[in-house]
């Protein structure tokens, strides 16, 4: 069974206090953030977002810290949040209850009254037209919304069929942008074919300082085709943090206003001319504050990016 909405609304005191105060995002804080255009329209979005793969919760008490993370993200000027129906199905072994990431995010947006402040990216992961439609309708219900800003064919599953439906939904106003995703180099050729042959606004791909394969052909192709790029796995599933360990940042990181390893890894990606927005998985408040710091100040130029690659490759 799933948690009821009544149960999910029993959040912590800090979230309740924010709501009682009539919280709304401090939009003025966005002025100093690095933003990127969506090529197909020119719409600007902040250049770092949130991935919600681990936003599933086993009980109502687990909702409050996630809500506070999203609240702070928006307050600091963040906007892009990516989810999927397959994300975060955490079962409570004692009660058998769970809420996946879509349900959690839908509840957070509703409770904060923040749907219009979020660039919401979802996914469809089914084969066949009717199965895809059914899956997306369920996602809209879980997310408590009538429209999604970006809907993506997840991991290139039945790409042509699902993109055809998404373009219909775009015409009908239920989706603003359409795209595809991958997190595996085994699918890169299929992504390249989609970029060459399909009409779409976004591609999402895995890319990091330790996993630079997407920069060889996918990123240039996306730039040439005027397709925005979301980056998943920007920390290489945590391998980058394990690689640097407790080393201090190199002194030259100050040349691009870098204050942490997380910002080091994100600024490398954001500085690529084809990259629109990395979406690191972000559950903790301190991480969202640090990640937003990556879109303030200077970015590394081409020479510094090569130096960053050489530094990581030497570890």
């Amino acid at each position: 069974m799933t948690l009821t909405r009544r149960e999910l609304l029993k959040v912590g005191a800090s979230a309740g206090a924010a709501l009682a105060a009539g919280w709304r995002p401090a939009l003025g804080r966005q002025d100093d953030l690095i933003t990127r255009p969506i090529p197909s329209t020119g719409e600007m979005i902040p250049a770092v977002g949130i991935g919600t793969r681990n936003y599933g919760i086993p009980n109502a008490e687990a909702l409050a810290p996630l809500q506070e993370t999203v609240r702070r993200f928006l307050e600091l000027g963040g906007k892009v949040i990516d989810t999927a129906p397959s994300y975060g199905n955490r079962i409570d072994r004692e009660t058998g209850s769970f809420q996946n990431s879509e349900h959690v995010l839908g509840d957070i947006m509703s409770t904060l009254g923040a749907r219009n402040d979020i660039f919401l990216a979802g996914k469809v992961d089914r084969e066949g037209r009717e199965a895809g439609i059914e899956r997306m309708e369920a996602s809209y219900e879980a997310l408590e919304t009538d429209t999604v800003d970006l809907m993506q064919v997840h991991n290139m599953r039945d790409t042509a069929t699902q993109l055809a439906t998404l373009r219909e939904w775009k015409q009908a106003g239920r989706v603003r942008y359409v795209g595809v995703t991958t997190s595996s180099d085994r699918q890169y050729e299929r992504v390249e074919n989609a970029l060459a042959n399909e009409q779409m606004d976004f591609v999402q791909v895995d890319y990091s300082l330790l996993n630079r394969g997407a920069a060889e052909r996918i990123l240039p192709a996306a730039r040439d085709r005027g397709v925005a790029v979301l980056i998943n796995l920007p920390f290489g599933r945590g391998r980058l943090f394990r690689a640097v360990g407790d080393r201090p940042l190199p002194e030259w990181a100050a040349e691009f206003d870098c204050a942490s390893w997380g910002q080091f890894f994100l600024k490398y990606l954001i500085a690529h001319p084809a990259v629109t927005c990395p979406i690191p998985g972000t559950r903790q408040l301190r991480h969202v504050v640090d990640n937003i710091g990556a879109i303030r100040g200077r970015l590394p130029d081409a020479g510094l990016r090569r130096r960053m690659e050489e530094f990581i490759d030497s570890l």
Side-chain angles (χ1 to χ4, degrees):
M1 69 183 215
T2 61
L3 300 176
T4 67
R5 179 169 176 79
R6 182 183 297 274
E7 290 172 323
L8 281 172
L9 288 174
K10 294 179 180 178
V11 297
S14 61
L19 294 172
W23 172 83
R24 287 295 183 271
L27 298 180
R29 300 292 295 276
Q30 295 188 40
D31 294 345
D32 61 345
L33 299 184
I34 296 168
T35 59
R36 290 286 183 263
I38 299 171
S40 62
T41 64
E43 178 182 355
M44 303 297 290
I45 54 175
V48 75
I50 284 179
T52 62
R53 173 176 287 277
N54 294 316
Y55 266 50
I57 60 172
N59 52 56
E61 289 72 24
L63 179 62
L66 296 178
Q67 179 170 295
E68 180 63 12
T69 294
V70 172
R71 184 198 68 79
R72 186 62 172 147
F73 172 73
L74 298 174
E75 183 179 67
L76 291 172
K79 195 172 183 70
V80 178
I81 301 182
D82 178 88
T83 189
S86 58
Y87 287 175
N89 292 333
R90 293 188 172 189
I91 304 296
D92 185 312
R93 293 182 180 179
E94 293 184 2
T95 66
S97 64
F98 74 93
Q99 286 288 326
N100 74 8
S101 294
E102 286 185 333
H103 287 95
V104 169
L105 185 55
D107 187 85
I108 289 172
M109 291 190 298
S110 178
T111 302
L112 294 178
R115 172 64 189 93
N116 291 336
D117 302 306
I118 291 172
F119 184 96
L120 181 60
K123 301 184 183 74
V124 57
D125 58 358
R126 288 291 183 266
E127 294 186 9
R129 175 180 169 84
E130 295 307 317
I133 290 173
E134 182 178 359
R135 185 69 153 173
M136 289 191 290
E137 295 286 8
S139 291
Y140 278 49
E141 181 177 357
L143 291 163
E144 303 182 35
T145 189
D146 296 323
T147 61
V148 168
D149 296 287
L150 166 63
M151 187 61 79
Q152 306 156 99
V153 181
H154 196 25
N155 288 331
M156 307 301 295
R157 189 168 182 181
D158 197 7
T159 303
T161 299
Q162 304 308 334
L163 279 177
T165 300
L166 291 181
R167 285 190 285 267
E168 293 175 10
W169 281 35
K170 184 177 179 180
Q171 285 291 110
R174 300 197 67 188
V175 173
R176 296 178 58 224
Y177 299 100
V178 304
V180 299
T181 83
T182 187
S183 57
S184 170
D185 57 6
R186 294 189 297 272
Q187 295 182 332
Y188 283 5
E189 184 175 352
R190 293 166 62 189
V191 173
E192 290 178 53
N193 288 335
L195 283 167
N197 299 306
E198 296 282 359
Q199 182 182 353
M200 57 190 189
D201 306 289
F202 275 81
V203 62
Q204 182 180 145
V205 65
D206 53 311
Y207 179 45
S208 76
L209 261 169
L210 276 177
N211 175 27
R212 303 194 290 267
E216 296 175 6
R217 294 171 64 175
I218 291 180
L219 298 188
R223 191 180 188 194
D224 291 345
R225 293 279 292 174
V227 174
V229 179
L230 298 184
I231 300 298
N232 60 53
L233 304 178
F235 301 138
R237 301 187 189 274
R239 290 185 296 128
L240 278 167
F241 289 108
R242 293 191 291 272
V244 298
D246 57 1
R247 293 176 176 82
L249 284 168
E251 291 184 3
W252 45 268
E255 296 181 34
F256 50 95
D257 301 314
C258 182
S260 70
W261 282 117
Q263 293 178 17
F264 187 95
F265 305 143
L266 289 171
K267 280 176 175 282
Y268 170 82
L269 302 175
I270 297 164
H272 192 291
V275 169
T276 308
C277 179
I279 46 171
T282 312
R283 288 176 54 90
Q284 297 187 33
L285 185 63
R286 63 187 178 92
H287 292 160
V288 84
V289 173
D290 189 50
N291 292 348
I292 290 290
I295 53 173
R296 289 196 171 95
R298 295 169 292 179
L299 292 173
D301 60 18
L304 282 168
R305 289 185 84 248
R306 286 193 297 271
R307 192 171 184 180
M308 296 165 84
E309 294 170 356
E310 291 168 359
F311 176 83
I312 291 297
D313 291 346
S314 72
L315 299 179

